[in-house]
């Protein structure tokens, strides 16, 4: 059976988590404390764990998910920032740049990516949820256009690596009509 590996990103409140809650037998690893609202949409009150650190997230990744078909990470960018923060704490750094020559940046990016790859390798559907950003760009003629992308809290290089490991990388948005 083929498993779906995907990223869903979009502005807060457009329904990313509600969409993920409709996946086959989902289990949520949450960072934002909003899971209780998904219960209003039929989510199982017991099918989640709230994590508050990178260390807790790694332990959650290693759980036995035998009763679930889908693992949802909600929000992925929180985990990345916690990974950086905890590296600084472990190494007595105020900031990643204190280690010099980009070493700490590379170590934390690799640690984060390796952990996500181990999760992706599971025989489960995997959904990573991220917030999205909206920005305006000008072309060489000065014509402005609106662009959309995943969170800016995870570096583009890491986003590119994640994108290379998932089947779908989707923007979620809400179309308002009157």
């Amino acid at each position: 059976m083929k498993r779906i590996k995907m990223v869903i990103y979009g502005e807060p409140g457009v329904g990313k988590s509600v969409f993920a809650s409709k996946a086959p037998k989902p289990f949520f690893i949450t960072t934002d404390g909003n899971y209780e609202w998904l219960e209003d949409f039929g989510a199982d009150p017991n099918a989640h764990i709230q994590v508050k650190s990178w260390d807790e997230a790694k332990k959650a990744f290693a759980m036995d998910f035998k009763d679930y078909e889908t693992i949802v990470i909600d929000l992925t960018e929180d985990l990345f920032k916690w990974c950086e923060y905890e590296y600084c704490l472990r190494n007595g750094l105020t900031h990643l740049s204190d280690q010099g020559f980009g070493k700490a940046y590379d170590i934390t990016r690799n640690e984060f990516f390796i952990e996500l790859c181990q999760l992706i390798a599971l025989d489960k559907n995997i959904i990573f949820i991220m917030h999205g950003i909206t920005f305006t760009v000008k072309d060489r003629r000065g014509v402005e256009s609106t662009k959309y992308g995943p969170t800016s809290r995870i570096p583009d290089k890491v986003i590119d690596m994640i994108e290379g490991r998932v089947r779908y990388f989707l923007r979620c948005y809400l179309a308002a009509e009157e």
Side-chain angles (χ1 to χ4, degrees), residues 30-91:
T30 67
T31 64
D32 62 4
N34 288 331
Y35 186 84
E36 66 187 42
W37 297 105
L38 293 178
E39 294 171 18
D40 295 346
F41 297 94
D44 178 352
N46 301 312
H48 79 285
I49 185 170
Q50 171 75 39
V51 295
K52 298 180 180 88
S53 70
W54 176 238
D55 191 50
E56 285 182 19
K58 291 190 294 185
K59 288 176 184 165
F61 293 170
M63 290 173 45
D64 180 7
F65 297 106
K66 69 177 172 28
D67 296 332
Y68 301 97
E69 292 181 35
T70 305
I71 302 166
V72 181
I73 308 301
D74 187 5
L75 290 159
T76 309
E77 63 262 30
D78 291 349
L79 299 182
F80 182 77
K81 290 318 244 182
W82 291 342
C83 178
E84 289 184 329
Y85 174 72
E86 289 175 28
Y87 179 83
C88 287
L89 287 179
R90 284 191 312 267
N91 292 282

Side-chain angles (χ1 to χ4, degrees), residues 64-173:
D64 180 7
F65 297 106
K66 69 177 172 28
D67 296 332
Y68 301 97
E69 292 181 35
T70 305
I71 302 166
V72 181
I73 308 301
D74 187 5
L75 290 159
T76 309
E77 63 262 30
D78 291 349
L79 299 182
F80 182 77
K81 290 318 244 182
W82 291 342
C83 178
E84 289 184 329
Y85 174 72
E86 289 175 28
Y87 179 83
C88 287
L89 287 179
R90 284 191 312 267
N91 292 282
L93 306 174
T94 306
H95 188 269
L96 292 175
S97 62
D98 295 347
Q99 207 155 25
F101 304 110
K103 181 178 178 182
Y105 291 103
D106 195 49
I107 289 170
T108 55
R109 290 171 184 184
N110 286 340
E111 178 182 346
F112 179 75
F113 182 66
I114 289 166
E115 289 291 336
L116 292 191
C117 284
Q118 290 174 350
L119 192 62
I120 290 168
L122 296 176
D123 185 25
K124 303 287 179 187
N125 299 310
I126 306 292
I127 301 174
F128 296 105
I129 297 177
M130 300 177 189
H131 281 141
I133 56 170
T134 305
F135 53 98
T136 304
V137 294
K138 284 185 181 181
D139 66 12
R140 62 179 183 242
R141 298 168 300 177
V143 177
E144 291 185 355
S145 60
T146 303
K147 299 280 185 178
Y148 306 94
T151 182
S152 58
R153 294 181 65 213
I154 299 176
D156 289 342
K157 289 180 181 180
V158 178
I159 293 285
D160 290 346
M161 290 189 305
I162 295 169
E163 189 173 5
R165 294 300 189 285
V166 297
R167 179 76 170 116
Y168 302 101
F169 203 98
L170 307 172
R171 177 174 167 252
C172 184
Y173 64 94

